[in-house]
Amino acid sequence: MPQQITSSVENNFTKGFITESTGLNFPENAATDTDNCEYTLIGDVDRRLGIDLEANAVISLPVDRTNKAISTYKWNNVGGMV
């Protein structure tokens, strides 16, 4: 059987998550978008673990919002993207 040519994509993400760069000067081995990830010095990407409550933690009850003013704000990045 003849060999087939295959392509392989390798990402090591040793530069981590870069937010202040453009498509023209974006560094190699960097990530463009991540959620709940941790980067190691050798380029491994691991999921961030959940948060454990302390033994004496008190969980607060829902806030009563009746007759209260609520203000919200949506932050867009510098380029105006969400």
Side-chain angles (χ1 to χ4, degrees):
M1 180 173 191
Q3 283 186 328
Q4 295 179 348
I5 298 174
T6 59
S7 63
S8 171
V9 177
E10 279 190 34
N11 296 317
N12 62 15
F13 303 117
T14 52
K15 298 261 174 126
F17 179 48
I18 305 293
T19 59
E20 297 176 355
S21 183
T22 66
L24 294 175
N25 65 357
F26 195 79
E28 284 189 38
N29 302 325
T32 58
D33 186 26
T34 61
D35 286 327
N36 294 323
C37 292
E38 294 178 347
Y39 297 94
T40 64
L41 292 175
I42 59 173
D44 292 338
V45 181
D46 297 324
R47 295 284 293 169
R48 189 179 331 166
L49 299 177
I51 299 173
D52 292 333
L53 296 176
E54 296 176 353
N56 59 352
V58 177
I59 299 173
S60 61
L61 298 174
V63 177
D64 181 21
R65 295 183 178 179
T66 55
N67 298 325
K68 303 285 192 284
I70 299 173
S71 177
T72 62
Y73 181 78
K74 180 182 173 193
W75 174 262
N76 294 327
N77 67 11
V78 177
M81 304 297 288
V82 177

